[in-house]
Each structure stands twice: as structure tokens, then as C-alpha cells.
Amino acid sequence: MERKKILITGGAGFIGSHVVRRFVNNYPDYQVFNLDKLTYAGNLENLKDIEKKENYTFIKGDITDADFITHLFQEIKFDGIIHLAAESHVDRSISNPLEFVVTNVLGTVNLLNAARLIWNGQYTDRLFYHVSTDEVYGELGDHGKFTETTPYSPNSPYSASKASSDHFVRAYHHTYGLPVKISNCSNNYGSHHFPEKLIPLMINNIMNNNPLPVYGKGENVRDWLFVEDHARAIDMIFHMGRMGETYNIGGNNEWKNIELVIFLCRLMDRKLSRQEGESEKLITFVTDRAGHDFRYAIDSGKLMSELQWQPSVTFEQGLEKTVDWYLSNQDWLNNVTSGAYQKYYQSMYINR
Ligand code: NAD
Ligand code: DAU
């Protein structure tokens, strides 16, 4: 029997690589295709352990290239799509919003058009699953949580582009009946996370005794989820979620940035056999992010009650696993922080 063909976009990135690994290892009856442009954020080293498996195929390509996407879909006729490819960093979206419109909006619409074309109204056992973010809901004050019915109110160019792509996915379901599902997740952390984001950037800087740049007063709050728990939620929603529905995914794990950074410093003092308090001295408060959302928090009640999903690790366990991974994979960190990263870091942080 022919294997089901599952396309995962952005599979060489942080979350995508965890989703690809999970699908390749857990579903030998699927042929998993990883389509990735390999931008600065995409790294095939992330998939070394599964790259030789016979149910895995890598395709280098750009979702913004409509002709390429159309031909690819006509050639392979995917049964299911899990769409993660995106520009994902808020700070970069503030410097270069157009790139986010092109990749996140146009790229998503190209994929929707190609799925429509090849499925041609035959939707049994077909699915377009769009992976999105809690940032589409805007920011919260001190209380409350985002639910699936919270009105969209994106504040950054990144979240506006993701909100727009979510709207297109919904519109293709409503207008053309395309079988879709969407999930909106909170901040992920874990292995293979590019060190432009808070946790891996701080781990890298602590290891190298560099300043730890905390934006503003560090009072902003994020809800952190271990990336493997996100990948498991995606798996459950892909297979068991209801068609046309949105599911929120979160860790029920809110931290003020400054408290998280101090917690991480203490954990790393132990791991690096430093005196307690030594790494904390590296904390430096820097100019705030423009339009910085104050607080995100997710109500995952729908996912928990419909699909019995639960996070599998506590934050303490997940963070320790993460730090251990970075400490034993310093080559990975050195590779991704050479060259273009240095330029990015200079432009973002020096004289901030
Ligand atoms: P990432 O930046 O680590 O990876 C993005 C991947 O997409 C990279 O491999 C990159 O090469 C690829 N890509 C970018 N442009 C492309 C293009 N034009 N064509 C093909 N591939 C392209 O991102 P991530 O943090 O793993 O996020 C993955 C998805 O999950 C994104 O859609 C993001 O919005 C969403 N999300 C992320 C988080 C988080 O905390 N990181 C939380 C919720 C949702
Ligand atoms: O909420 C989900 C989103 O989480 C995802 O959709 C995004 O793709 C992902 O990047 C993440 O967005 P954030 O902006 O919340 O993540 P980031 O790691 O960039 O920042 C987390 C918090 O830490 C935020 O309040 C800004 C702050 N920060 C960040 C950096 C990089 C600092 O204080 N210093 C820093 O150097």
C-alpha cells in the first residue's frame, strides 16, 4: 500500500524539527516530506538523527514561490500538510516587516492555493493544518487568559502577519470547504532553539560570560511550553482534532522575564560549577522592544478536555533538559552563532 504523504513546512527550524522527528519516528506508514528554504533559522543539523530514515525526504524550496509550490504539489499530491514555515522573530519583524508579509502571508496563501488545486474538492482524509501563535490575540493585563474566542488584536508586524495567515486559512475553509485546523501556541523552549530568542540567547551569553540583555524592566510575562509537548499537541490535533477548529496550546506556566532569567542563571551556576549569584551579575537592562506586549497566557482547556492533552514535564524539568542539551551541543551553538549571527547581534544589541 502507498504511504500517506505528509508535507511539513519549516521542518528544519526549531519547532518544525521536533514535529518532523516525531512524525518520522512514530508513523512509519507516512512518507514525511520536509520543505524548507533553509533561511538563517533553518538548519539540517537539527535532523541528523533521522535524515537517513526511508520514510523521510527533504526538499529545499521557498513557499513564497508560487510556481515552484504548484509544481511540487502536482508532482507529489500530498495527503496532509502541517505548515510551520515562517519568519518567527518579533524583533526582526520590527526591523523588516515586509519580509514577514511575504513569507507568512503570501507563503501561506500559495500553500492553500496548491492544496485546493490538487485536492479539487476531494477532501476525504485530507488536511491543511496551520501552526500559529498566541500573539495574534494581542496582549493581556494582569489577569485573564486567551481562549479560542478571544478577538484577534495583533500588535507587532510578526503577529499581524500570523493573524493574517490564520484569517486566510479560515477563509479557505469557509469559502471553499478546504479541510483545515489551526493551533495557536504560547512561547516554546527546548533544544535546537535559535539563540535570537530569549532562553537560548541567555544560555549562550551565560556560557560565554556576556551581558544578559533584559528588555525594559523585565516585567513582561510569557507562558512557556516545552517544545516536545507542543509537537505532541500538534500530533494529537492533526489526528484527532475537529475539522475547521482552532485549538489553543499553552504551558500554564507564566514567568516574568526577569524572574525567568534569574532562575536560569541559578540553574546554570550549578551546571557550570559557578558560585551562586555569579551569572546574575551579567544581567543588563536595555532599551525596551517597540510595542512590547505586556503579558501572554493561554487557556488550553479545550485541548485538554477534548483530546486529553497535558504537558509532560514541569518547567524545572524542561529547562534543565534544555540547558543540558546546549551544554553538550556547543558545536551546534558555535556553528549558528558564527558569521551572520554576529552581525545581527551587533545591530540589535550593541549600544541598545
Ligand atoms: P523558526 O524560525 O525556528 O523556523 C522557521 C523555519 O521556516 C526555518 O527552518 C526556515 O528556514 C523556514 N522558512 C522560513 N521562510 C521560509 C520560506 N519562505 N520557505 C520555506 N521555508 C521557510 O520558527 P519556529 O520558532 O520553529 O516556529 C515555527 C512556527 O511555529 C512558526 O509558524 C511560528 O509562527 C509558530 N510558533 C512559534 C512559537 C515559538 O515559541 N517559537 C510559538 C507559537 C507558534
Ligand atoms: O508567544 C509565542 C511567540 O513566542 C512566537 O509566536 C514567536 O515566534 C516567538 O519568537 C515568541 O515571541 P516572543 O517575542 O515572546 O519571544 P522572545 O524570545 O523574542 O522574547 C521573549 C520575551 O523576552 C519578550 O518579552 C522579550 C524579552 N526579551 C527577548 C530577547 C530576545 C528580552 O528581554 N531580551 C532579549 O534579548
Side-chain angles (χ1 to χ4, degrees):
M1 205 181 73
E2 218 195 332
R3 284 183 172 136
K4 244 185 163 181
K5 296 185 279 289
I6 308 298
L7 175 69
I8 299 178
T9 71
F14 165 49
I15 301 171
S17 62
H18 286 276
V19 176
V20 167
R21 178 175 299 103
R22 184 176 179 93
F23 272 68
V24 168
N25 286 334
N26 291 6
Y27 300 103
D29 291 346
Y30 293 169
Q31 188 65 33
V32 176
F33 296 86
N34 169 16
L35 169 65
D36 200 295
K37 183 181 171 185
L38 301 182
T39 66
Y40 77 92
N43 185 351
L44 290 177
E45 288 293 311
N46 295 353
L47 292 164
K48 269 264 166 267
D49 53 325
I50 56 105
E51 69 181 4
K52 296 212 165 64
K53 297 237 175 177
E54 57 156 351
N55 68 332
Y56 171 70
T57 310
F58 174 67
I59 304 165
K60 186 170 191 298
D62 186 342
I63 60 167
T64 71
D65 181 343
D67 285 345
F68 164 75
I69 292 295
T70 307
H71 285 119
L72 178 70
F73 275 56
Q74 281 169 328
E75 186 194 328
I76 303 188
K77 302 227 167 32
F78 302 108
D79 299 290
I81 295 148
I82 307 177
H83 174 37
L84 296 106
E87 287 295 333
S88 68
H89 191 36
V90 173
D91 291 326
R92 289 186 195 251
S93 83
I94 295 168
S95 317
N96 189 359
L98 194 57
E99 201 172 354
F100 283 67
V101 178
V102 174
T103 301
N104 298 357
V105 187
L106 183 67
T108 301
V109 175
N110 283 340
L111 293 167
L112 289 165
N113 284 340
R116 232 191 115 207
L117 182 78
I118 57 159
W119 294 341
N120 192 24
Q122 306 296 307
Y123 293 150
T124 313
D125 282 339
R126 305 279 185 267
L127 176 61
F128 189 107
Y129 180 165
H130 178 61
V131 175
S132 192
T133 171
D134 61 355
E135 301 199 10
V136 299
Y137 299 121
E139 67 175 348
L140 294 163
D142 286 323
H143 305 289
K145 291 187 176 202
F146 299 131
T147 71
E148 289 79 2
T149 56
T150 302
Y152 275 32
S153 183
N155 288 319
S156 73
Y158 162 69
S159 53
S161 70
K162 290 296 290 187
S164 174
S165 65
D166 292 12
H167 288 320
F168 273 102
V169 174
R170 284 183 46 129
Y172 273 58
H173 179 66
H174 186 82
T175 306
Y176 308 115
L178 200 79
V180 309
K181 296 176 190 177
I182 301 176
S183 56
N184 296 85
C185 189
S186 64
N187 287 62
N188 284 215
Y189 69 96
S191 70
H192 307 91
H193 202 184
F194 193 78
E196 63 186 350
K197 309 280 167 60
L198 180 75
I199 289 181
L201 184 143
M202 294 297 169
I203 292 175
N204 185 40
N205 286 14
I206 293 170
M207 279 163 66
N208 293 300
N209 266 308
N210 284 331
L212 308 179
V214 174
Y215 296 169
K217 295 187 176 138
E219 297 285 313
N220 303 62
V221 176
R222 296 293 182 265
D223 174 357
W224 294 94
L225 177 68
F226 190 51
V227 64
E228 291 175 32
D229 283 328
H230 186 190
R232 191 164 44 84
I234 289 173
D235 182 346
M236 294 173 92
I237 294 166
F238 181 84
H239 289 102
M240 302 183 300
R242 283 182 293 139
M243 203 56 81
E245 292 286 319
T246 288
Y247 292 87
N248 280 356
I249 312 169
N252 198 21
N253 176 41
E254 293 180 47
W255 285 77
K256 275 187 187 175
N257 292 337
I258 185 64
E259 286 167 8
L260 189 160
V261 172
I262 291 172
F263 185 71
L264 183 60
C265 285
R266 293 189 182 161
L267 171 60
M268 290 204 55
D269 281 345
R270 278 196 280 120
K271 295 280 173 188
L272 296 168
S273 307
R274 291 181 184 168
Q275 277 200 335
E276 189 176 293
E278 202 178 323
S279 301
E280 256 167 83
K281 292 186 198 140
L282 298 167
I283 291 174
T284 314
F285 292 95
V286 300
T287 308
D288 209 350
R289 173 184 281 173
H292 195 173
D293 281 337
F294 173 62
R295 174 172 165 258
Y296 306 139
I298 278 276
D299 178 345
S300 317
K302 179 176 171 181
L303 178 63
M304 290 169 131
S305 63
E306 280 190 21
L307 305 183
Q308 279 71 56
W309 172 87
Q310 291 272 359
S312 68
V313 292
T314 64
F315 189 52
E316 287 74 4
Q317 291 166 333
L319 201 60
E320 183 156 359
K321 280 185 187 211
T322 305
V323 167
D324 287 343
W325 186 85
Y326 281 95
L327 289 174
S328 22
N329 288 276
Q330 298 197 19
D331 287 348
W332 184 95
L333 209 40
N334 292 341
N335 284 342
V336 302
T337 53
S338 62
Y341 180 83
Q342 293 302 327
K343 243 174 118 183
Y344 165 80
Y345 200 89
Q346 295 273 334
S347 70
M348 197 60 76
Y349 291 99
I350 304 300
N351 302 324
R352 185 174 179 134

